[in-house]
Amino acid sequence: MNETVEDGAVSGLVAVRGVDKVFKRGSEEIHVLGGLDLDIPEGEFLALMGPSGSGKSTLLNLIGGLDRPSQGTIEVADERIDNLSNRKLAAWRARHIGLVFQFYNLMPVLSARRNVELPLLLTHLSRSERRKRAEIALDIVGLSHRMSHFPRTLSGGEQQRVGIARAIVTDPTLLLCDEPTGDLDRTSSGEILDLLQALNREQGKTIVMVTHDMHAAERASRTLFLDKGRLSLEPSV
Amino acid sequence: MAGPFNWLAQILSIAVFNLRTLPQRVGSSLTAIFGIAGVVAVMVGVLSIAQGIMRTMERSASPENVVVLRSGANSEMMSILMGDDVRFVSEAPGVAREDGDALASPELYVIIDRVKKGSGTDANVPLRGITPPALEVHKDFRILEGRMFEWGLNEVVVGVGARGEFEGLEVGDVIEVARENWPVVGVFDANGGIAEAEIWVDAAVLQPAYQRGNSFQSVYARLESPDAFQAFKDALTSDPRLNVKAMREADYYAEQSGTLYTLITTLGTLIAVIMGLGAVFGALNTMYTAVASRAREIATLRALGFHSGPVVVSVLLESVLLALLGGVIGALLAWWAFDGFSAATLNWSSFSQLTFAFDVSFALLVNGIVFALIIGLVGGLFPALRAARMPIANALREQ
Ligand SMILES: Nc1ncnc2c1ncn2[C@@H]1O[C@H](COP(=O)(O)OP(=O)(O)OP(=O)(O)O)[C@@H](O)[C@H]1O
Ligand SMILES: [Mg+2]
């Protein structure tokens, strides 16, 4: 948008350039994103807002390598990801991306610790090392005492904290959260936002968070509004 | 980057929690398991019939025994040998001798009607007229009950198979042959061979009853050794006085049962394939349901960076595991229900009854289980591919 940094220490961690996203539904074409540019510097906590259906999740998926743009390029940490093969993209996600979902998406048959350990199965860490890291991640989100609980025995807020622990256990380059508080009450939301803010401030995590909640967006260091396929600094009325 | 160990770990971990979700899908999984079990049981059952018939035929044959029929005759029914023919055959080189007598048994073969047990319908039973050397040639012949018939008297002995299949063939019963009443005086067995389905009588009694004069239909002979066969056969075919053909007993029986064996095997395979298709659809349905119910979980895993390969393999693994379970259950069921179960069928060469035991062999069980695994693989493949190809973003949107 505004800053087009060429190079240097403050170079963007994420660079989205001229991205179009068109979905085909039968013969109908849905143009969701059109010529979108976005730079996210390292260490930023960015909030994405916008009306329902404006393409916030779509944009997040593109940055996270879960989908590919119809047009344009996406670079994360100086690596083009829009033209990687599926196999390479999967490996890339495992290495660079931590995902937090609105409905947590935990595996119901696995304990909290096992859920958090899951992404570590994609690394070459030993069993005991995996276990140790999962425990540390659960400690960071304040759930050490719920380690062996199964998702259905945890509250929504607790499940989301397990979700965040799973997202940070691999120490990803980028933490992407799609409405992480969308399914939670005020108190739990506050706790989750505190946690994300702490991760950003104390550990320097770069975070992109999609939200509908103005209060949530206030915790971020910057808020952008998505509407009609474009980003702006102000909500459209 | 990701080595084979890593892949294995991925497959294992996905498979493990796939399996942990099995209890939520008991219904559809059981349907698939028992569908496959049914297919395997039927397939093994039917093929064990063919196997059983084959074994009966094999057991009937001795390696050093030969059968001589008229040239052009495919079975004893269609053959005729005159008294002179019989004499020339007995004198042929290679025929074993005992106390100067050739071990060659000229035999008559006629068909009589008896009432089948159970169904109450009439069916054909072979009635074989034998001569004294028969007891040396058919060395498996053994009286089980009662006694041997007296030579020259119109008494009969009945094979155990025939007795089991037909009414009124117990020792003490009387059968009507050519409007005469002939008493049953004994029951014999023959090591499970085809003779057990027959009734035996003195050929000298049977000839006048059927106005056969001094003719026979076959000569069964014992050779000095199995190696003597070629010389024996050559001597017969080159003898200008004779118009006969010689076969090893094993070849003769194999030829006799060949049609039936092929028919049953083909039919059994056909039935198995048709039922197998049904089971494939059952398995497909089960696995599609399984994949659909876990679409979000699978998408989440892939979003986290799991490859689609391990997802495919783990879905396949589950389907193959269900199929294996079904296959083993079906095979055990078939083995328990059919092995050794005795039955009778039509001998397509003589149109008489052939008694045999279902033979559920180990190889057949293995075949059944392999078939089940194929069903599982095919039934799991398409759902697995669907799971792997589902766009991640779409699957995550569905709630
Ligand atoms: N796979 C897809 N196929 C077809 N259309 C899609 C697909 N994914 C998204 N869309 C459409 O693209 C548009 C943007 O969807 P998206 O989920 O990104 O919106 P959003 O801003 O996240 O909305 P919400 O706030 O409701 O989550 C919608 O109109 C949606 O229907
Ligand atoms: Mg959304």
Side-chain angles (χ1 to χ4, degrees):
Chain A
M1 283 196 51
N2 34 18
E3 67 271 274
T4 314
V5 182
E6 287 294 299
D7 204 346
V10 285
S11 124
L13 183 67
V14 179
V16 178
R17 292 282 172 273
V19 159
D20 290 358
K21 183 64 187 178
V22 182
F23 289 111
K24 286 201 179 65
R25 206 179 275 156
S27 58
E28 197 189 349
E29 284 194 341
I30 306 163
H31 293 260
V32 180
L33 305 177
L36 188 136
D37 294 318
L38 171 64
D39 285 272
I40 304 171
E42 195 166 348
E44 184 171 59
F45 184 177
L46 174 68
L48 273 180
M49 297 193 75
S52 185
S54 56
K56 304 180 296 294
S57 297
T58 302
L59 178 56
L60 208 65
N61 288 342
L62 290 177
I63 297 172
L66 297 170
D67 204 352
R68 288 193 186 78
S70 312
Q71 191 87 213
T73 64
I74 297 171
E75 263 181 44
V76 177
D78 294 326
E79 191 177 0
R80 278 277 296 273
I81 62 159
D82 51 278
N83 51 10
L84 290 180
S85 69
N86 280 340
R87 167 182 287 272
K88 285 206 171 124
L89 208 50
W92 178 85
R93 283 197 302 273
R95 214 155 2 105
H96 291 290
I97 300 295
L99 291 167
V100 178
F101 306 92
Q102 179 176 358
F103 298 105
Y104 332 124
N105 286 3
L106 302 178
M107 303 295 143
V109 294
L110 299 183
S111 68
R113 185 173 61 73
R114 290 267 183 202
N115 263 292
V116 174
E117 221 182 294
L118 215 45
L120 296 179
L121 290 174
L122 300 167
T123 66
H124 286 283
L125 295 176
S126 70
R127 209 185 159 84
S128 59
E129 186 66 18
R130 291 201 304 257
R131 192 189 169 107
K132 206 170 89 197
R133 292 209 185 181
E135 285 169 5
I136 292 171
L138 279 166
D139 191 40
I140 290 174
V141 301
L143 274 185
S144 301
H145 58 300
R146 293 276 189 270
M147 212 104 79
S148 54
H149 284 232
F150 285 86
R152 66 172 178 285
T153 66
L154 298 173
S155 73
E158 285 171 330
Q159 288 189 56
Q160 192 56 299
R161 282 194 269 163
V162 175
I164 292 171
R166 179 178 67 185
I168 61 172
V169 74
T170 53
D171 192 21
T173 313
L174 198 55
L175 199 56
L176 303 178
C177 316
D178 197 345
E179 301 186 38
T181 59
D183 200 41
L184 299 177
D185 59 44
R186 278 227 84 76
T187 323
S188 305
S189 293
E191 286 166 9
I192 294 298
L193 291 166
D194 288 343
L195 186 56
L196 290 177
Q197 213 164 14
L199 285 170
N200 173 248
R201 291 205 178 136
E202 287 156 30
Q203 312 210 4
K205 280 266 159 276
T206 310
I207 302 176
V208 183
M209 174 178 73
V210 169
T211 183
H212 280 289
D213 181 359
M214 217 41 214
H215 297 286
E218 277 165 8
R219 306 291 198 102
S221 45
R222 179 164 66 133
T223 301
L224 289 175
F225 296 86
L226 185 61
D227 199 12
K228 309 216 165 56
R230 301 232 165 210
L231 285 167
S232 60
L233 288 163
E234 301 293 330
S236 55
V237 192
Chain B
M1 267 291 296
F5 161 77
N6 195 263
W7 256 65
L8 253 174
Q10 290 187 40
I11 292 170
L12 248 131
S13 52
I14 301 178
V16 162
F17 56 75
N18 277 358
L19 291 178
R20 286 211 212 164
T21 62
L22 256 182
Q24 299 154 22
R25 295 174 279 122
V26 177
S28 85
S29 303
L30 282 182
T31 312
I33 290 175
F34 284 103
I36 291 170
V39 173
V40 170
V42 168
M43 167 184 154
V44 171
V46 173
L47 294 184
S48 75
I49 295 175
Q51 192 99 5
I53 289 171
M54 211 48 166
R55 197 175 58 170
T56 302
M57 292 301 181
E58 277 165 16
R59 283 195 170 176
S60 306
S62 312
E64 62 283 356
N65 277 14
V66 292
V67 184
V68 178
L69 302 177
R70 172 156 236 89
S71 293
N74 290 324
S75 68
E76 288 180 279
M77 280 285 277
M78 291 183 268
S79 168
I80 180 162
L81 298 175
M82 304 315 285
D84 280 346
D85 298 331
V86 171
R87 189 159 52 81
F88 297 143
V89 170
S90 327
E91 288 165 357
V95 175
R97 297 184 168 271
E98 220 172 74
D99 307 330
D101 293 330
L103 296 188
S105 162
E107 299 180 3
L108 263 186
Y109 185 91
V110 301
I111 294 292
I112 61 169
D113 267 0
R114 298 298 305 172
V115 175
K116 275 200 84 164
K117 282 181 180 168
S119 71
T121 52
D122 275 7
N124 294 332
V125 195
L127 179 58
R128 184 178 293 277
I130 58 164
T131 55
L135 302 186
E136 306 301 327
V137 174
H138 304 290
K139 57 179 195 279
D140 292 326
F141 177 89
R142 194 165 56 104
I143 290 291
L144 272 188
E145 225 177 86
R147 58 171 174 84
M148 182 56 180
F149 61 72
E150 292 270 359
W151 298 102
L153 294 187
N154 53 6
E155 297 173 338
V156 303
V157 289
V158 172
V160 280
R163 175 182 66 174
E165 285 300 317
F166 294 93
E167 305 273 9
L169 292 183
E170 298 292 341
V171 175
D173 286 334
V174 168
I175 62 171
E176 196 190 295
V177 181
R179 275 181 241 107
E180 290 175 40
N181 287 330
W182 294 5
V184 176
V185 298
V187 172
F188 67 91
D189 71 1
N191 186 34
I194 190 172
E196 290 182 2
E198 301 177 345
I199 302 174
W200 284 13
V201 64
D202 186 352
V205 172
L206 194 56
Q207 277 172 333
Y210 275 74
Q211 281 126 38
R212 293 291 176 94
N214 188 28
S215 77
F216 293 88
Q217 277 155 298
S218 56
V219 177
Y220 285 78
R222 166 85 65 83
L223 299 184
E224 286 153 356
S225 80
D227 302 333
F229 177 72
Q230 199 55 45
F232 170 78
K233 182 179 174 173
D234 292 345
L236 292 194
T237 42
S238 62
D239 190 332
R241 299 167 300 178
L242 280 173
N243 182 24
V244 298
K245 67 172 181 184
M247 284 166 284
R248 288 184 195 276
E249 241 183 27
D251 295 338
Y252 173 67
Y253 289 134
E255 194 184 296
Q256 295 296 292
S257 59
T259 325
L260 194 60
Y261 181 82
T262 313
L263 185 81
I264 294 177
T265 306
T266 312
L267 214 69
T269 309
L270 205 70
I271 293 172
V273 166
I274 292 170
M275 289 185 64
L277 277 177
V280 163
F281 282 110
L284 275 175
N285 189 44
T286 301
M287 294 317 294
Y288 270 130
T289 313
V291 165
S293 71
R294 279 171 311 172
R296 263 176 89 77
E297 287 173 31
I298 291 173
T300 304
L301 286 172
R302 292 180 53 212
L304 295 181
F306 280 78
H307 292 286
S308 40
V311 172
V312 171
V313 174
S314 64
V315 172
L316 275 181
L317 212 65
E318 176 176 333
S319 137
V320 165
L321 208 75
L322 294 182
L324 181 68
L325 214 65
V328 169
I329 292 174
L332 287 179
L333 209 68
W335 182 66
W336 171 75
F338 295 130
D339 194 39
F341 176 74
S342 160
T345 183
L346 201 63
N347 180 338
W348 283 59
S349 299
S350 64
F351 297 103
S352 58
Q353 289 288 311
L354 170 73
T355 37
F356 65 92
F358 284 56
D359 183 9
V360 181
S361 66
F362 183 71
L364 214 51
L365 293 179
V366 170
N367 280 353
I369 290 172
V370 167
F371 190 58
L373 292 182
I374 292 172
I375 294 175
L377 265 180
V378 176
L381 186 63
F382 298 99
L385 289 180
R386 175 187 281 187
R389 289 199 183 134
M390 214 159 22
I392 303 171
N394 283 13
L396 284 174
R397 285 164 61 86
E398 284 155 21
Q399 273 147 36

